[in-house]
Amino acid sequence: GTGRPSVHTSSVSVSLNKFDVQLHGGASWLYNVLISLFEGSIKGSAQDAIKQAVQQAIDQQGEKALATLPVVVQLDNTASIDYALTVAPIVQPNAFFALPDRGVFFLNKDHSEAPLQPPTLPDSFGSSMLQFALSEYSFDSAGWVYWKGDRLQYVVTQKDIPSSLPLQLNTSSFAVLAPALYAFCPNCAMQLPVMATAAP
C-alpha cells in the first residue's frame, strides 16, 4: 500500500423518527391521502437515499482527505523521515487505538536507510487510553543517516570556547604539551576537528 490511512464505512444507520409530508392548495387533499397510504415506503426510500449519500460522502471525501497526508517529511538537506503505516491501524474498542508507523530516517541523496532491523513493539503496554511508543530504532536510524551523510563532524574554534575558561584554543595554551608548535607559531589560533568514526 501507500502507507497512508484509508477510510471505508462498513455500515451506516439512518432512522427518521418523525416523517411528515403535507401538501397545500389545489388537489392537495387527494395527494395527502395518497401520501398517507405510501408514507412508509416514502420514509424507507428517504432513509435509504440519506444512508447511501452519507456512506458515499464519508468514503469518497474521507479517502480524498487522507490521500493528501504526507508520509515522508524532509527534515533538512541530509535526511527525511518516513512515518508511513506499516499495517492497518489497530482498533480495540474501549481499549486502545494503535497506528504502527515506520519511523525510519533515510538519506535524501539516495534514499538509503540504516542497515538495522526494527524491533517489534507491543500493541499496548498498559491501560491508558493514550500511549506513545518509540523504540531506539528511530534514533539509531537517524544517527546512521547523519553519520553516513557526513553531518556528525564539527570543527571547534576559539569562538566555541567560553572566554572564562583558562584553556583557550591557541598555541599559547598548548605550549607545555606542544612546545615545538608554539615555537613555530606563537599565540596562533588552533582548530580541533571532531567527527564520529562510526554511526552512533
Side-chain angles (χ1 to χ4, degrees), residues 166-186:
L167 183 68
Q168 295 299 304
L169 205 48
N170 58 44
T171 55
S172 297
S173 293
F174 288 87
V176 174
L177 295 172
L181 179 62
Y182 175 73
F184 177 73
C185 186

Side-chain angles (χ1 to χ4, degrees), residues 123-146:
D123 292 335
S124 177
F125 47 89
S127 60
S128 299
M129 290 295 285
L130 179 62
Q131 300 175 8
F132 181 76
L134 184 67
S135 75
E136 67 277 359
Y137 171 74
S138 293
F139 299 107
D140 291 345
S141 74
W144 184 88
V145 164
Y146 282 102

Side-chain angles (χ1 to χ4, degrees), residues 24-90:
H24 301 281
S28 60
W29 65 270
L30 177 61
Y31 298 135
N32 285 332
V33 169
L34 291 174
I35 287 174
S36 67
L37 291 174
F38 298 105
E39 187 174 351
S41 296
I42 296 170
K43 180 179 176 182
S45 294
Q47 287 179 160
D48 289 344
I50 293 169
K51 177 180 170 181
Q52 186 177 15
V54 167
Q55 187 166 6
Q56 188 175 15
I58 291 172
D59 288 352
Q60 290 177 354
Q61 296 302 314
E63 198 65 31
K64 185 177 176 182
L66 291 174
T68 64
L69 288 177
V71 293
V72 173
V73 173
Q74 183 172 336
L75 302 172
D76 54 28
N77 291 336
T78 302
S80 293
I81 185 168
D82 178 347
Y83 56 91
L85 292 173
T86 56
V87 296
I90 302 163

